Amino acid sequence: MAGGRQLRRDAFSLWLEAPFVIAMRCHEMGMAAMTGSTQDTAEMTRMVTEKMAAAAESVVAANFALAKALMTAASPESTVRAVSEAAVRPYGKRVRRNARRLAARKH
């Protein structure tokens, strides 16, 4: 997206939806602890593995964006924007997906 719209979208998604995802997961873990249920172990495992995958994807995407910008002799401003967008995108994508998934659950 031109003009950093993707970066703004992903940053806004993280700012707005990440606390929602955290609250929903904490609520589910609290309810599981009170009822003695072990059903949320899958959610906890997903939470950790998604964070690790997002971090790895973010590093790789940022490095590729930087290499591409350096090969094309892009301006410093566009390089910073491209690297930032590439680094934040994996997190924004996962947060949006988790917010939709957790909001759709029937309790």
Side-chain angles (χ1 to χ4, degrees):
M1 290 183 163
R5 284 185 287 164
Q6 182 66 42
L7 178 60
R8 287 192 297 271
R9 177 182 177 207
D10 287 333
F12 182 74
S13 172
L14 289 172
W15 176 74
L16 184 65
E17 293 174 325
F20 171 75
V21 170
I22 292 167
M24 291 294 294
R25 283 179 165 163
C26 286
H27 172 73
E28 288 182 6
M29 286 187 270
M31 292 303 290
M34 289 190 326
T35 62
S37 171
T38 58
Q39 69 186 15
D40 285 329
T41 56
E43 186 66 29
M44 287 185 262
T45 301
R46 170 183 259 175
M47 182 173 52
V48 173
T49 57
E50 277 185 348
K51 283 179 179 47
M52 292 170 46
E57 188 178 333
S58 177
V59 168
V60 169
N63 281 317
F64 273 112
L66 179 60
K68 182 179 177 184
L70 291 175
M71 286 189 294
T72 60
S75 70
E77 294 82 15
S78 64
T79 300
V80 168
R81 184 181 323 117
V83 171
S84 299
E85 286 176 2
V88 173
R89 188 175 302 121
Y91 293 105
K93 177 177 66 174
R94 283 173 174 82
V95 166
R96 283 189 298 278
R97 186 175 58 219
N98 282 327
R100 284 191 302 267
R101 182 178 54 80
L102 292 169
R105 279 190 178 175
K106 304 281 189 230
H107 292 283

